[in-house]
Amino acid sequence: MLTFVIRRMIATVFVVFTITVLVFLIFFHTPGVDPARKLAGRNPSPDTIKAIKHQYGLDRPLPVQYLILMKKLFISRDLTSYSNQGQKVVPEIVAATPVTLSLVLGAAVIWVVVSILMGVAAAVLRGTIFDPMLMVLALIGISMPVFWLGEMANLITQDRYHDTFLFSWVPPLGYTPLTQDPVMWFKHLVIPWLVLSVLYIGLYARVLRADLLETENEDYVRTARAKGLSERRVLLRHTLRTSMISFVSLFGLDFGVLVGGGALLVEVVFALPGVGLLTYQSLISLDLPVIMATVIYGAIFIVIANAVVDVGYAWLDPRVRPA
Amino acid sequence: MSTVGGLEHPIDPLADAPPEGWVAGRSPWALAAHKLVRNRMAMAALAVFLGIVVVSFMGPFYADHIAHTDPFTSQLTATTVINGKRVDVLQQGGGVLKLGETPIGPTWQRNYFLGADSQGRDVAARVLYGGRTSLTIGIGSAVICSLLAVIVGMVAGFYGGVTDSIISRGLDVVWAFPVYLLAISIATVLLTQGLTIGPFSISASSLWLPTLIIAVIYVPYVARPVRGAVLSVREKEFIEAAIAQGASNRRLIFNEILPNVITVLIVLLPLMIATTILTESALSYLSIGVQPPNASWGTIINDGQQLLYTRPWVAIAPGIMIVLTVLSLNVFGDGVRDALDPRAKLRVKD
């Protein structure tokens, strides 16, 4: 187990390194693209471009540029935005992280609970009309663009039905930190939580149903039935338990992707000042250091989440360790 | 196809006529097609999808001959006729100060059926044109992605060894990258100056740009299963037989392995188009996908955001089109998988 963990950690460091190099190359050395021109504004003179290149160290050799950038990002943490020289990128990301975490954690609770209920219900009700109905619902959830769903939720809760008793409690778009006012925090996040969880409810319910039906054919399930266990006990203690393995590993990956930037669209629609909104705002102003930093932050978070999932998986299921 | 598992049936030269009780064999393809055609849900979904494709490609016809409008130029002073009265498409804002302008809402007639956007352009016509763009990019990038993935997966799986290790590690890294972040990174960089590689250059407003970006980011997701399929097929006995016959690598790849790997792609393709259409709409919504003057469903939803509370149909209509398209592709894709994937046979027991 220890060798597995160590090997996995070495692989993680390698992937993180490759990703930072890749991001650096994409942003600063895509063929035919010159970041200095981007900074210089319209129709810059060659001298201006040269000066800017020097100012940002873009005239240094590639590996040196990379190292300077990584130093600014991880060690001195004083990488500054291109569009606003006073804006330090790393503290901005640190400040935005709790917002993203609040959003993703809340949505995760909803999607885990609802999708387990839906998946189990569909598997148990197989052969009735409810199974295909639930699965069509799940498919619709998967097929909706999340930003559009968010807009529709805003249309209903902020405008059309805001004055009815149903949605009069919904505050205007925005965010209140948990530490400042927990009730307001909750009110701000309920609708974004629901919108974000729809896609994952659909995905997970389908996966869980398929796994449940597959496990249903296993010998040990037949044995459990033959022992005379009640259907409920067979389902909860034997079938569901095994089916949860892929569910849990899927959850780890999706959670990582969402915190690492996947929640961007929901943050934009609901004006939640998380890491995703930060990325979006710097997209609009083409603020390369900020976008690059958020991308690297997200990628690192995801890679670490993947490693944690793998180690957890190996801990649960010794068969995968030597892989 | 008359081959099973890549090898032709040995023909017994002594048998002149089929023996009694002989049943014509059916290829796995014919069986799968039969199964798919009998799946009513999948066929209905296919019909919906094809319907959307046809309607979207009728966009120019609708704009020219039914709505009589140009959906790409601003129509700030345009007027239309409602109940016999001529009204401005962009109406002066209400209130005492009469600030701002509100585009006309849905007229539910030939002209401005779904109303106008903030520049007075016909939303219904734009949604059709946008559909053409979204579908072209979605299908185009899925096809390009499949081609790239087949090459990558095939090379990795067939040659194995160091080649495989290098390619697989590379795919792992891209895989570790969240899809949207990768797309955002590439798109931001390319959108300002376009892409120039040697003699080829793609302008920043070209539809090729989002198509290629989306195609590239999904390559690992398709190349991995292709590589897996190649690895398993390579060990089969008919490959050994072909090698014993002195088959060249080229013949092995194109005549023996490829036909057996292609099912993986056929199963994935509808689901991939659904995914690429969703990705395109998200990138366009973030304004790093399709660039003006082109429109796609994503950019129209973005346009509609400012008008959300006054003229919600600008955002509602393209969203419904996306949901219908992606949903029909997902249902059809499920049907294709059930028909072709042997593993699905174990699963679907109801």
Side-chain angles (χ1 to χ4, degrees):
Chain A
M1 185 70 199
L2 189 67
T3 43
F4 177 82
V5 173
I6 291 172
R7 214 168 46 212
R8 197 64 190 76
M9 274 172 66
I10 294 172
T12 307
V13 170
F14 170 75
V15 172
V16 167
F17 169 73
T18 324
I19 282 179
T20 53
V21 172
L22 195 66
V23 172
F24 166 74
L25 290 178
I26 289 178
F27 277 106
F28 292 96
H29 292 280
T30 305
V33 177
D34 186 355
R37 279 190 65 99
K38 215 169 275 184
L39 288 167
R42 275 177 200 284
N43 301 323
S45 70
D47 286 341
T48 326
I49 291 185
K50 215 172 169 185
I52 286 175
K53 273 196 168 166
H54 186 72
Q55 186 191 342
Y56 288 93
L58 292 171
D59 50 357
R60 312 276 284 271
L62 267 188
V64 177
Q65 282 186 38
Y66 170 78
L67 287 177
I68 292 177
L69 209 63
M70 290 304 121
K71 189 196 124 229
K72 282 186 174 171
L73 197 54
F74 292 114
I75 299 167
S76 55
R77 296 163 164 238
D78 56 355
L79 187 68
T80 48
S81 149
Y82 277 178
S83 59
N84 176 1
Q85 290 298 325
Q87 190 187 356
K88 294 261 191 295
V89 179
V90 179
E92 292 258 325
I93 293 179
V94 172
T97 307
V99 184
T100 305
L101 275 177
S102 305
L103 173 66
V104 178
L105 276 172
V109 171
I110 297 176
W111 97 58
V112 166
V113 172
V114 178
S115 64
I116 290 181
L117 289 178
M118 251 175 99
V120 170
V124 169
L125 296 172
R126 193 180 47 194
T128 70
I129 183 75
F130 295 105
D131 173 25
M133 268 170 58
L134 282 172
M135 285 305 107
V136 167
L137 256 171
L139 256 187
I140 294 177
I142 294 173
S143 305
M144 271 194 284
V146 67
F147 56 93
W148 180 74
L149 186 63
E151 281 195 358
M152 294 304 110
N154 279 342
L155 178 63
I156 292 168
T157 62
Q158 297 284 344
D159 191 66
R160 290 297 191 268
Y161 293 96
H162 185 67
D163 296 332
T164 66
F165 68 97
L166 273 176
F167 297 115
S168 52
W169 55 269
V170 179
L173 297 184
Y175 179 76
T176 311
L178 176 65
T179 46
Q180 195 181 318
D181 183 351
V183 177
M184 214 44 194
W185 173 82
F186 186 79
K187 283 182 177 176
H188 269 302
L189 283 170
V190 174
I191 304 289
W193 282 339
L194 291 172
V195 167
L196 181 57
S197 58
V198 165
L199 164 70
Y200 295 94
I201 291 174
L203 278 176
Y204 284 48
R206 275 163 61 89
V207 168
L208 186 62
R209 172 183 173 276
D211 274 353
L212 282 171
L213 294 186
E214 209 174 272
T215 323
E216 195 68 357
N217 302 320
E218 298 276 350
D219 289 342
Y220 62 83
V221 175
R222 199 182 51 197
T223 312
R225 288 228 167 80
K227 283 197 301 187
L229 297 185
S230 68
E231 273 304 307
R232 174 197 295 252
R233 201 175 161 85
V234 172
L235 176 73
L236 293 182
R237 299 299 296 270
H238 296 263
T239 332
L240 186 58
R241 253 180 105 162
T242 333
S243 305
M244 287 306 284
I245 293 181
S246 57
F247 188 97
V248 169
S249 59
L250 208 59
F251 177 81
L253 300 182
D254 283 332
F255 186 82
V257 168
L258 280 179
V259 177
L264 171 94
L265 292 162
V266 175
E267 286 178 11
V268 171
V269 172
F270 291 104
L272 295 170
V275 184
L277 194 65
L278 190 65
T279 317
Y280 176 70
Q281 283 159 351
S282 43
L283 272 185
I284 300 298
S285 56
L286 280 175
D287 198 346
L288 288 184
V290 185
I291 309 176
M292 196 194 64
T294 51
V295 168
I296 289 182
Y297 149 87
I300 288 178
F301 189 89
I302 291 165
V303 173
I304 292 174
N306 286 0
V308 170
V309 168
D310 277 3
V311 171
Y313 206 90
W315 182 60
L316 285 172
D317 186 350
R319 283 173 300 177
V320 302
R321 274 177 218 168
Chain B
M1 264 180 84
S2 67
T3 57
V4 171
L7 269 188
E8 263 163 28
H9 282 302
I11 298 162
D12 182 0
L14 296 177
D16 289 324
E20 211 148 305
W22 184 83
V23 181
R26 288 204 282 175
S27 75
W29 292 101
L31 285 174
H34 182 69
K35 205 172 165 191
L36 183 61
V37 171
R38 279 185 42 187
N39 185 340
R40 271 197 231 136
M41 276 271 274
M43 283 297 112
L46 181 64
V48 171
F49 176 69
L50 292 178
I52 292 172
V53 172
V54 169
V55 167
S56 294
F57 279 81
M58 295 273 281
F61 177 82
Y62 177 85
D64 288 349
H65 298 287
I66 299 178
H68 303 292
T69 177
D70 178 353
F72 292 106
T73 51
S74 304
Q75 320 248 333
L76 299 175
T77 54
T79 57
T80 186
V81 177
I82 298 176
N83 299 331
K85 271 192 271 178
R86 188 152 280 279
V87 289
D88 286 341
V89 167
L90 287 181
Q91 292 152 352
Q92 283 300 314
V96 188
L97 295 171
K98 298 216 183 289
L99 279 177
E101 284 170 324
T102 310
I104 196 167
T107 60
W108 309 119
Q109 326 172 357
R110 287 157 64 126
N111 195 289
Y112 293 104
F113 181 75
L114 292 171
D117 67 6
S118 53
Q119 296 188 47
R121 299 173 297 195
D122 188 317
V123 173
R126 278 178 72 77
V127 168
L128 295 187
Y129 268 100
R132 203 168 63 152
T133 314
S134 291
L135 290 166
T136 312
I137 294 181
I139 297 171
S141 55
V143 169
I144 295 174
C145 174
S146 305
L147 288 177
L148 293 175
V150 166
I151 297 171
V152 171
M154 198 73 151
V155 169
F158 186 78
Y159 291 101
V162 182
T163 324
D164 185 24
S165 308
I166 293 173
I167 292 179
S168 296
R169 285 296 86 77
L171 291 182
D172 279 350
V173 170
V174 184
W175 183 287
F177 230 106
V179 171
Y180 280 101
L181 291 188
L182 188 59
I184 286 173
S185 318
I186 304 177
T188 357
V189 173
L190 294 185
L191 274 180
T192 40
Q193 291 167 11
L195 178 66
T196 315
I197 303 174
F200 301 100
S201 90
I202 301 172
S203 89
S205 60
S206 161
L207 291 184
W208 278 105
L209 212 51
T211 310
L212 287 177
I213 292 171
I214 296 170
V216 167
I217 57 174
Y218 284 111
V219 164
Y221 294 79
V222 187
R224 264 198 184 182
V226 169
R227 172 179 167 273
V230 173
L231 281 180
S232 77
V233 169
R234 208 178 55 162
E235 304 303 320
K236 293 272 163 63
E237 279 165 352
F238 65 84
I239 298 293
E240 210 181 320
I243 295 173
Q245 282 181 344
S248 63
N249 270 356
R250 185 163 34 148
R251 195 185 122 196
L252 283 180
I253 291 178
F254 289 102
N255 294 11
E256 309 292 343
I257 297 181
L258 195 60
N260 289 289
V261 172
I262 216 82
T263 41
V264 176
L265 282 186
I266 295 176
V267 168
L268 281 176
L269 197 63
L271 306 174
M272 273 189 46
I273 299 176
T275 312
T276 50
I277 288 179
L278 278 180
T279 311
E280 182 277 319
S281 72
L283 290 181
S284 295
Y285 172 75
L286 294 174
S287 67
I288 49 173
V290 173
Q291 297 300 307
N294 277 315
S296 82
W297 285 330
T299 60
I300 302 173
I301 295 180
N302 189 9
D303 294 343
Q305 196 160 20
Q306 287 94 37
L307 296 167
L308 189 59
Y309 299 148
T310 48
R311 294 292 176 237
W313 275 100
V314 183
I316 294 175
I320 291 177
M321 294 300 277
I322 296 177
V323 176
L324 280 179
T325 313
V326 175
L327 184 63
S328 64
L329 281 167
N330 276 332
V331 173
F332 179 66
D334 275 3
V336 173
R337 197 195 49 210
D338 287 347
L340 270 175
D341 188 355
R343 268 188 58 219
K345 279 178 200 145
L346 296 174
R347 259 190 205 169
V348 183
K349 287 226 162 155
D350 33 342

